[in-house]
Amino acid sequence: MRRLFIAATVVVALALVGDLAARLVHERRLEGWLNAREDIDNAVLTLDAWPFTLNSGDNTFPKASLSLTVQREGFQYTPIDLHLRSFYYYRNDQCRGRTRYLVGASDGTGEAFVTRDDLMRSLEREGFSDVDVSDEAMVVEDSDGQTFRITDAAIRPNDISGDIVLPLTPTRKVLIRLPEPVDGVKFKDVIFEDGGVRLPFTIIDPELACV
């Protein structure tokens, strides 16, 4: 009986190790594919599926977490943290990526971070010469040397992902147009932090990348 118990324990342990190894192989492979794109860097993926080997046959997984850096139209989102449901990847000959696999999900939520430097580049086009961001407020200075302290920035929906609305005075506002970091993102809020802004979002039916 004892030998049977030991044998069963060994079999279970080997199965667990094999399951973990299979998950890590999938995660590292997808990370490598994502990082090979010119506009994506620092991709870190965690697939949530148990047991993994029973969920991986069609390359579809109940949940996944993905963190990555994305460059879009002069903006660098550093990082984007995604929490996805029904994550998948499959061969799609319309993809122009190296492997022709499409990576996507059904929906999810997440946050993106934009640094002060990226905000400054956008505001320079609107005639501003300086910007500083803390946990409490954003302070911008225009080309005439006038400063404005903003504590209540908001997101204005648009047909892509959303604009940051900065109310300078009751009658004057400035917009920062946000490029879509990944397909399907809709920004919901603006949270000031030291050195930049954090942007919570929802994401619907995203095709994240052709890899």
Side-chain angles (χ1 to χ4, degrees):
M1 188 68 180
R2 182 180 178 185
R3 290 180 179 178
L4 183 60
F5 175 77
I6 294 173
T9 302
V10 170
V11 169
V12 170
L14 290 174
L16 292 174
V17 170
D19 198 74
L20 175 60
R23 178 171 64 83
L24 292 175
V25 167
H26 273 73
E27 290 171 350
R28 299 298 88 79
R29 177 170 57 187
L30 281 164
E31 288 170 0
W33 289 352
L34 289 166
N35 286 325
R37 287 178 53 108
E38 293 183 356
D39 57 345
I40 292 177
D41 200 7
N42 303 319
V44 178
L45 174 68
T46 301
L47 299 172
D48 185 358
W50 175 256
F52 182 84
T53 50
L54 295 182
N55 286 274
S56 61
D58 61 353
N59 296 333
T60 301
F61 309 93
K63 295 180 181 179
S65 297
L66 177 62
S67 176
L68 67 167
T69 298
V70 175
Q71 296 273 358
R72 288 286 188 276
E73 301 175 24
F75 267 71
Q76 177 170 284
Y77 294 101
T78 313
I80 299 174
D81 293 315
L82 297 160
H83 304 285
L84 303 165
R85 293 188 296 182
S86 297
F87 178 87
Y88 62 81
Y89 69 100
Y90 64 85
R91 179 85 175 186
N92 185 330
D93 289 335
Q94 294 182 356
C95 281
R96 296 184 179 181
R98 183 180 62 178
T99 68
R100 295 189 180 276
Y101 272 87
L102 176 66
V103 180
S106 65
D107 56 53
T109 60
E111 290 185 333
F113 188 79
V114 178
T115 67
R116 175 262 175 207
D117 291 342
D118 283 306
L119 294 170
M120 185 67 248
R121 280 190 285 271
S122 181
L123 288 168
E124 282 177 343
R125 294 192 288 269
E126 303 296 328
F128 292 87
S129 59
D130 196 17
V131 61
D132 186 44
V133 189
S134 69
D135 288 342
E136 297 179 352
M138 178 186 294
V139 179
V140 298
E141 181 178 336
D142 65 17
S143 57
D144 296 326
Q146 186 175 5
T147 60
F148 304 88
R149 189 174 188 272
I150 303 157
T151 60
D152 56 349
I155 291 291
R156 186 186 73 172
N158 61 26
D159 57 347
I160 302 177
S161 57
D163 302 320
I164 297 177
V165 181
L166 301 176
L168 306 181
T169 70
T171 59
R172 184 183 177 190
K173 299 178 181 179
V174 64
L175 299 181
I176 299 177
R177 190 166 180 83
L178 297 168
E180 190 178 42
V182 294
D183 178 59
V185 161
K186 295 296 181 183
F187 291 112
K188 296 299 182 183
D189 197 6
V190 182
I191 301 171
F192 295 140
E193 294 188 0
D194 286 338
V197 296
R198 189 165 300 281
L199 305 167
F201 59 78
T202 58
I203 184 168
I204 302 296
D205 196 22
E207 294 182 352
L208 299 173
C210 280
V211 296

